[in-house]
Amino acid sequence: MKKIFLSTLFAVLMSLPLFSQKYAYIDSEYILSNMPDYVEAQAELNRLAVEWQNEIEAQFKSIDSMYKKYQVEAITLPDKMKKSREDAIISAEQAAKNLQKKRFGTDGDLYKKREELVKPIQDRVFTAIEEYAKDRGFAFVFDVAGDMTIVYADPKWDINDQIMQKLGISANNATDDEE
């Protein structure tokens, strides 16, 4: 009996530091959407994505046109000419797919541009969060914007405004644009 009591007492005493930890949460989407440089970077990325998508679509339309023309003329073309046209269509299609991969692939131009424009901003936010958390003694800071599910979050632990203040941004930026 004495052993069980001591084990229980030991377990309770060991878990006490867990209850004294402070937690906070942020919404990274909210913070970033209030940063003018992030909004500008996103607009630039969107502009480039549309431009590059139009470029790729134009190539595929051209390939479609080549293929339709080939289908109409295929009956009258000699075998050597058919093979030449088929090769040209396949080559053009491969070039368009390569361009699509170059622009939008995992290491594509859009990814690199996002790294160039957005990553420094995200790093600034992360550094501000880390500094704020260390200064205030928070053990954990959760981001409610991601895949993490938080069923309830007490607003007293919301540090969005403090992080934005540390970054020198005002929460009014987003609401000014909507009015």
Side-chain angles (χ1 to χ4, degrees), residues 130-173:
E130 187 176 20
E131 289 172 1
Y132 185 85
K134 285 179 181 176
D135 291 347
R136 300 291 196 274
F138 289 111
F140 298 99
V141 176
F142 299 99
D143 185 358
V144 296
D147 292 336
M148 179 180 192
T149 303
I150 295 181
V151 178
Y152 171 76
D154 187 340
K156 77 178 181 180
W157 299 113
D158 178 352
I159 59 170
N160 285 316
D161 293 336
Q162 293 88 336
I163 298 301
M164 289 170 43
Q165 183 179 12
K166 189 164 186 63
L167 288 164
I169 352 174
S170 119
N172 297 337
N173 288 341

Short mmCIF file of all heavy atoms in Angstrom, two decimals, residues 130-173:
data_model
loop_
_atom_site.label_atom_id
_atom_site.label_comp_id
_atom_site.label_asym_id
_atom_site.label_seq_id
_atom_site.Cartn_x
_atom_site.Cartn_y
_atom_site.Cartn_z
N GLU A 130 8.71 33.70 -32.04
CA GLU A 130 9.66 33.04 -31.16
C GLU A 130 10.15 34.00 -30.07
O GLU A 130 10.18 33.64 -28.88
CB GLU A 130 10.84 32.53 -31.99
CG GLU A 130 11.81 31.67 -31.22
CD GLU A 130 12.91 31.11 -32.11
OE1 GLU A 130 13.15 31.66 -33.21
OE2 GLU A 130 13.52 30.12 -31.69
N GLU A 131 10.52 35.22 -30.45
CA GLU A 131 10.99 36.20 -29.47
C GLU A 131 9.89 36.54 -28.46
O GLU A 131 10.15 36.62 -27.26
CB GLU A 131 11.47 37.47 -30.18
CG GLU A 131 12.76 37.30 -30.95
CD GLU A 131 13.11 38.52 -31.79
OE1 GLU A 131 12.35 39.53 -31.78
OE2 GLU A 131 14.15 38.47 -32.48
N TYR A 132 8.68 36.76 -28.96
CA TYR A 132 7.57 37.10 -28.08
C TYR A 132 7.29 35.96 -27.10
O TYR A 132 7.09 36.19 -25.91
CB TYR A 132 6.32 37.41 -28.91
CG TYR A 132 5.15 37.88 -28.08
CD1 TYR A 132 5.03 39.23 -27.73
CD2 TYR A 132 4.20 37.00 -27.60
CE1 TYR A 132 3.99 39.67 -26.95
CE2 TYR A 132 3.15 37.42 -26.82
CZ TYR A 132 3.04 38.75 -26.49
OH TYR A 132 2.01 39.18 -25.71
N ALA A 133 7.28 34.74 -27.61
CA ALA A 133 7.01 33.58 -26.77
C ALA A 133 8.08 33.42 -25.69
O ALA A 133 7.76 33.14 -24.52
CB ALA A 133 6.92 32.31 -27.62
N LYS A 134 9.33 33.62 -26.07
CA LYS A 134 10.41 33.50 -25.09
C LYS A 134 10.31 34.61 -24.04
O LYS A 134 10.49 34.36 -22.85
CB LYS A 134 11.77 33.55 -25.78
CG LYS A 134 12.10 32.25 -26.50
CD LYS A 134 13.44 32.35 -27.20
CE LYS A 134 13.75 31.06 -27.93
NZ LYS A 134 14.98 31.14 -28.71
N ASP A 135 10.04 35.85 -24.49
CA ASP A 135 9.92 36.98 -23.56
C ASP A 135 8.79 36.78 -22.56
O ASP A 135 8.89 37.17 -21.40
CB ASP A 135 9.68 38.29 -24.32
CG ASP A 135 10.88 38.74 -25.12
OD1 ASP A 135 12.00 38.19 -24.91
OD2 ASP A 135 10.72 39.63 -25.98
N ARG A 136 7.68 36.19 -23.01
CA ARG A 136 6.49 36.03 -22.16
C ARG A 136 6.43 34.66 -21.48
O ARG A 136 5.51 34.39 -20.72
CB ARG A 136 5.21 36.21 -22.99
CG ARG A 136 5.08 37.56 -23.65
CD ARG A 136 4.84 38.66 -22.60
NE ARG A 136 4.34 39.88 -23.15
CZ ARG A 136 5.10 40.85 -23.66
NH1 ARG A 136 6.38 40.73 -23.71
NH2 ARG A 136 4.54 41.95 -24.12
N GLY A 137 7.37 33.79 -21.78
CA GLY A 137 7.43 32.50 -21.12
C GLY A 137 6.41 31.48 -21.61
O GLY A 137 5.99 30.60 -20.86
N PHE A 138 6.01 31.57 -22.87
CA PHE A 138 5.07 30.59 -23.42
C PHE A 138 5.82 29.31 -23.77
O PHE A 138 6.87 29.35 -24.40
CB PHE A 138 4.38 31.11 -24.68
CG PHE A 138 3.39 32.20 -24.40
CD1 PHE A 138 3.63 33.50 -24.82
CD2 PHE A 138 2.20 31.92 -23.74
CE1 PHE A 138 2.72 34.50 -24.57
CE2 PHE A 138 1.29 32.92 -23.48
CZ PHE A 138 1.54 34.22 -23.89
N ALA A 139 5.28 28.18 -23.35
CA ALA A 139 5.88 26.90 -23.67
C ALA A 139 5.53 26.50 -25.10
O ALA A 139 6.34 25.91 -25.81
CB ALA A 139 5.39 25.83 -22.70
N PHE A 140 4.30 26.81 -25.53
CA PHE A 140 3.83 26.46 -26.87
C PHE A 140 3.06 27.61 -27.47
O PHE A 140 2.34 28.31 -26.77
CB PHE A 140 2.88 25.25 -26.82
CG PHE A 140 3.52 24.00 -26.29
CD1 PHE A 140 3.34 23.63 -24.97
CD2 PHE A 140 4.29 23.21 -27.12
CE1 PHE A 140 3.93 22.48 -24.48
CE2 PHE A 140 4.88 22.06 -26.63
CZ PHE A 140 4.70 21.68 -25.31
N VAL A 141 3.23 27.80 -28.76
CA VAL A 141 2.40 28.73 -29.52
C VAL A 141 1.85 27.93 -30.70
O VAL A 141 2.60 27.41 -31.51
CB VAL A 141 3.20 29.95 -30.03
CG1 VAL A 141 2.31 30.84 -30.89
CG2 VAL A 141 3.77 30.74 -28.86
N PHE A 142 0.54 27.80 -30.76
CA PHE A 142 -0.11 27.03 -31.81
C PHE A 142 -0.55 27.96 -32.92
O PHE A 142 -0.87 29.11 -32.69
CB PHE A 142 -1.34 26.30 -31.26
CG PHE A 142 -1.00 25.32 -30.18
CD1 PHE A 142 -1.17 25.65 -28.84
CD2 PHE A 142 -0.52 24.07 -30.50
CE1 PHE A 142 -0.86 24.75 -27.84
CE2 PHE A 142 -0.21 23.15 -29.51
CZ PHE A 142 -0.38 23.49 -28.17
N ASP A 143 -0.58 27.43 -34.14
CA ASP A 143 -1.07 28.18 -35.29
C ASP A 143 -2.42 27.58 -35.68
O ASP A 143 -2.48 26.44 -36.13
CB ASP A 143 -0.09 28.09 -36.45
CG ASP A 143 -0.49 28.95 -37.63
OD1 ASP A 143 -1.56 29.60 -37.58
OD2 ASP A 143 0.27 28.99 -38.61
N VAL A 144 -3.48 28.34 -35.52
CA VAL A 144 -4.81 27.83 -35.83
C VAL A 144 -5.12 27.88 -37.32
O VAL A 144 -6.14 27.36 -37.75
CB VAL A 144 -5.92 28.57 -35.04
CG1 VAL A 144 -5.77 28.35 -33.56
CG2 VAL A 144 -5.94 30.05 -35.36
N ALA A 145 -4.24 28.45 -38.13
CA ALA A 145 -4.48 28.56 -39.56
C ALA A 145 -4.16 27.26 -40.30
O ALA A 145 -4.68 27.04 -41.38
CB ALA A 145 -3.66 29.69 -40.16
N GLY A 146 -3.33 26.43 -39.74
CA GLY A 146 -2.90 25.22 -40.43
C GLY A 146 -3.89 24.08 -40.29
O GLY A 146 -5.07 24.27 -39.99
N ASP A 147 -3.38 22.89 -40.49
CA ASP A 147 -4.20 21.68 -40.39
C ASP A 147 -4.51 21.30 -38.95
O ASP A 147 -5.31 20.42 -38.70
CB ASP A 147 -3.50 20.50 -41.08
CG ASP A 147 -3.42 20.69 -42.58
OD1 ASP A 147 -4.26 21.43 -43.11
OD2 ASP A 147 -2.54 20.08 -43.20
N MET A 148 -3.84 21.94 -38.03
CA MET A 148 -4.04 21.62 -36.63
C MET A 148 -5.46 21.99 -36.22
O MET A 148 -5.95 23.06 -36.53
CB MET A 148 -3.03 22.41 -35.81
CG MET A 148 -3.13 22.20 -34.37
SD MET A 148 -1.86 23.23 -33.64
CE MET A 148 -1.91 22.59 -32.03
N THR A 149 -6.10 21.10 -35.54
CA THR A 149 -7.47 21.36 -35.11
C THR A 149 -7.47 21.76 -33.65
O THR A 149 -6.97 21.03 -32.81
CB THR A 149 -8.34 20.11 -35.30
OG1 THR A 149 -8.28 19.72 -36.66
CG2 THR A 149 -9.77 20.37 -34.89
N ILE A 150 -8.03 22.90 -33.39
CA ILE A 150 -8.22 23.35 -32.01
C ILE A 150 -9.72 23.53 -31.86
O ILE A 150 -10.33 24.34 -32.55
CB ILE A 150 -7.47 24.66 -31.71
CG1 ILE A 150 -5.97 24.42 -31.81
CG2 ILE A 150 -7.86 25.19 -30.34
CD1 ILE A 150 -5.13 25.65 -31.51
N VAL A 151 -10.28 22.77 -30.97
CA VAL A 151 -11.72 22.81 -30.78
C VAL A 151 -12.13 24.09 -30.05
O VAL A 151 -13.15 24.69 -30.35
CB VAL A 151 -12.20 21.56 -30.01
CG1 VAL A 151 -13.69 21.61 -29.76
CG2 VAL A 151 -11.83 20.30 -30.76
N TYR A 152 -11.34 24.50 -29.11
CA TYR A 152 -11.64 25.72 -28.37
C TYR A 152 -10.35 26.46 -28.13
O TYR A 152 -9.32 25.86 -27.83
CB TYR A 152 -12.29 25.41 -27.03
CG TYR A 152 -12.40 26.64 -26.15
CD1 TYR A 152 -13.37 27.60 -26.40
CD2 TYR A 152 -11.51 26.86 -25.11
CE1 TYR A 152 -13.46 28.74 -25.63
CE2 TYR A 152 -11.60 28.00 -24.33
CZ TYR A 152 -12.58 28.94 -24.60
OH TYR A 152 -12.66 30.07 -23.84
N ALA A 153 -10.40 27.76 -28.27
CA ALA A 153 -9.25 28.60 -27.98
C ALA A 153 -9.75 29.82 -27.21
O ALA A 153 -10.55 30.61 -27.73
CB ALA A 153 -8.56 29.02 -29.26
N ASP A 154 -9.29 29.95 -26.00
CA ASP A 154 -9.65 31.09 -25.16
C ASP A 154 -8.97 32.34 -25.73
O ASP A 154 -7.76 32.36 -25.93
CB ASP A 154 -9.18 30.84 -23.73
CG ASP A 154 -9.67 31.90 -22.76
OD1 ASP A 154 -10.03 33.01 -23.21
OD2 ASP A 154 -9.68 31.61 -21.55
N PRO A 155 -9.74 33.37 -26.05
CA PRO A 155 -9.17 34.58 -26.64
C PRO A 155 -8.06 35.23 -25.80
O PRO A 155 -7.24 35.95 -26.35
CB PRO A 155 -10.37 35.53 -26.75
CG PRO A 155 -11.56 34.65 -26.76
CD PRO A 155 -11.19 33.45 -25.93
N LYS A 156 -8.02 34.94 -24.51
CA LYS A 156 -6.96 35.55 -23.69
C LYS A 156 -5.58 35.04 -24.09
O LYS A 156 -4.57 35.65 -23.77
CB LYS A 156 -7.21 35.35 -22.20
CG LYS A 156 -6.90 33.99 -21.67
CD LYS A 156 -7.15 33.93 -20.17
CE LYS A 156 -6.81 32.56 -19.61
NZ LYS A 156 -7.05 32.47 -18.19
N TRP A 157 -5.51 33.91 -24.81
CA TRP A 157 -4.22 33.36 -25.24
C TRP A 157 -3.90 33.72 -26.69
O TRP A 157 -2.88 33.31 -27.22
CB TRP A 157 -4.19 31.84 -25.07
CG TRP A 157 -4.35 31.43 -23.64
CD1 TRP A 157 -5.39 30.75 -23.10
CD2 TRP A 157 -3.45 31.70 -22.57
NE1 TRP A 157 -5.20 30.58 -21.76
CE2 TRP A 157 -4.01 31.15 -21.39
CE3 TRP A 157 -2.23 32.35 -22.45
CZ2 TRP A 157 -3.41 31.22 -20.15
CZ3 TRP A 157 -1.62 32.42 -21.22
CH2 TRP A 157 -2.20 31.87 -20.09
N ASP A 158 -4.76 34.50 -27.35
CA ASP A 158 -4.54 34.93 -28.72
C ASP A 158 -3.50 36.05 -28.72
O ASP A 158 -3.71 37.11 -28.13
CB ASP A 158 -5.86 35.44 -29.31
CG ASP A 158 -5.73 35.97 -30.73
OD1 ASP A 158 -4.59 36.09 -31.24
OD2 ASP A 158 -6.77 36.24 -31.33
N ILE A 159 -2.36 35.80 -29.36
CA ILE A 159 -1.29 36.80 -29.37
C ILE A 159 -1.07 37.39 -30.76
O ILE A 159 -0.01 37.96 -31.04
CB ILE A 159 0.03 36.22 -28.80
CG1 ILE A 159 0.49 35.01 -29.62
CG2 ILE A 159 -0.12 35.87 -27.32
CD1 ILE A 159 1.89 34.53 -29.27
N ASN A 160 -2.05 37.27 -31.66
CA ASN A 160 -1.93 37.83 -33.01
C ASN A 160 -1.55 39.30 -32.98
O ASN A 160 -0.62 39.74 -33.67
CB ASN A 160 -3.23 37.65 -33.80
CG ASN A 160 -3.45 36.24 -34.27
OD1 ASN A 160 -2.55 35.59 -34.75
ND2 ASN A 160 -4.67 35.76 -34.11
N ASP A 161 -2.30 40.08 -32.23
CA ASP A 161 -2.08 41.53 -32.22
C ASP A 161 -0.69 41.89 -31.67
O ASP A 161 -0.04 42.80 -32.17
CB ASP A 161 -3.17 42.24 -31.42
CG ASP A 161 -4.53 42.14 -32.09
OD1 ASP A 161 -4.56 41.96 -33.33
OD2 ASP A 161 -5.55 42.22 -31.39
N GLN A 162 -0.23 41.16 -30.67
CA GLN A 162 1.09 41.43 -30.11
C GLN A 162 2.20 41.10 -31.11
O GLN A 162 3.18 41.84 -31.22
CB GLN A 162 1.30 40.62 -28.81
CG GLN A 162 0.41 41.06 -27.67
CD GLN A 162 -0.94 40.34 -27.66
OE1 GLN A 162 -1.43 39.86 -28.67
NE2 GLN A 162 -1.57 40.30 -26.50
N ILE A 163 2.02 40.02 -31.85
CA ILE A 163 3.01 39.66 -32.87
C ILE A 163 3.01 40.71 -33.98
O ILE A 163 4.07 41.14 -34.44
CB ILE A 163 2.72 38.25 -33.46
CG1 ILE A 163 2.80 37.17 -32.37
CG2 ILE A 163 3.67 37.94 -34.61
CD1 ILE A 163 4.14 37.08 -31.66
N MET A 164 1.82 41.13 -34.38
CA MET A 164 1.74 42.16 -35.42
C MET A 164 2.37 43.46 -34.93
O MET A 164 3.06 44.14 -35.69
CB MET A 164 0.29 42.36 -35.86
CG MET A 164 -0.22 41.17 -36.66
SD MET A 164 -1.98 41.13 -37.02
CE MET A 164 -2.37 42.77 -37.48
N GLN A 165 2.16 43.79 -33.67
CA GLN A 165 2.77 44.99 -33.09
C GLN A 165 4.28 44.85 -33.11
O GLN A 165 4.99 45.79 -33.46
CB GLN A 165 2.26 45.19 -31.66
CG GLN A 165 2.76 46.44 -31.00
CD GLN A 165 2.20 46.59 -29.59
OE1 GLN A 165 1.60 45.67 -29.03
NE2 GLN A 165 2.39 47.76 -29.01
N LYS A 166 4.79 43.68 -32.77
CA LYS A 166 6.23 43.42 -32.78
C LYS A 166 6.79 43.56 -34.20
O LYS A 166 7.92 43.99 -34.38
CB LYS A 166 6.51 42.04 -32.22
CG LYS A 166 7.96 41.73 -31.97
CD LYS A 166 8.10 40.52 -31.07
CE LYS A 166 9.52 40.26 -30.67
NZ LYS A 166 10.16 41.28 -29.90
N LEU A 167 5.99 43.20 -35.20
CA LEU A 167 6.40 43.33 -36.60
C LEU A 167 6.17 44.74 -37.13
O LEU A 167 6.54 45.05 -38.25
CB LEU A 167 5.63 42.33 -37.46
CG LEU A 167 6.03 40.87 -37.30
CD1 LEU A 167 4.96 39.96 -37.90
CD2 LEU A 167 7.38 40.61 -37.95
N GLY A 168 5.51 45.58 -36.36
CA GLY A 168 5.25 46.96 -36.79
C GLY A 168 4.08 47.08 -37.73
O GLY A 168 4.04 47.99 -38.55
N ILE A 169 3.12 46.16 -37.63
CA ILE A 169 1.95 46.21 -38.51
C ILE A 169 0.71 46.50 -37.68
O ILE A 169 0.59 46.05 -36.55
CB ILE A 169 1.65 44.87 -39.22
CG1 ILE A 169 2.71 43.84 -39.04
CG2 ILE A 169 1.33 45.07 -40.64
CD1 ILE A 169 2.30 42.53 -39.65
N SER A 170 -0.21 47.19 -38.31
CA SER A 170 -1.48 47.46 -37.62
C SER A 170 -2.55 46.57 -38.19
O SER A 170 -2.57 46.28 -39.39
CB SER A 170 -1.81 48.95 -37.79
OG SER A 170 -2.99 49.14 -38.46
N ALA A 171 -3.48 46.16 -37.38
CA ALA A 171 -4.56 45.27 -37.81
C ALA A 171 -5.54 45.99 -38.72
O ALA A 171 -6.38 45.37 -39.34
CB ALA A 171 -5.30 44.71 -36.60
N ASN A 172 -5.42 47.29 -38.84
CA ASN A 172 -6.34 48.07 -39.65
C ASN A 172 -6.10 47.91 -41.14
O ASN A 172 -6.94 48.26 -41.94
CB ASN A 172 -6.25 49.55 -39.29
CG ASN A 172 -6.67 49.81 -37.87
OD1 ASN A 172 -7.41 49.02 -37.28
ND2 ASN A 172 -6.19 50.90 -37.29
N ASN A 173 -4.93 47.39 -41.55
CA ASN A 173 -4.61 47.26 -42.98
C ASN A 173 -5.66 46.46 -43.73
O ASN A 173 -6.08 46.87 -44.79
CB ASN A 173 -3.24 46.60 -43.17
CG ASN A 173 -2.11 47.53 -42.78
OD1 ASN A 173 -2.29 48.73 -42.71
ND2 ASN A 173 -0.94 46.95 -42.51
#
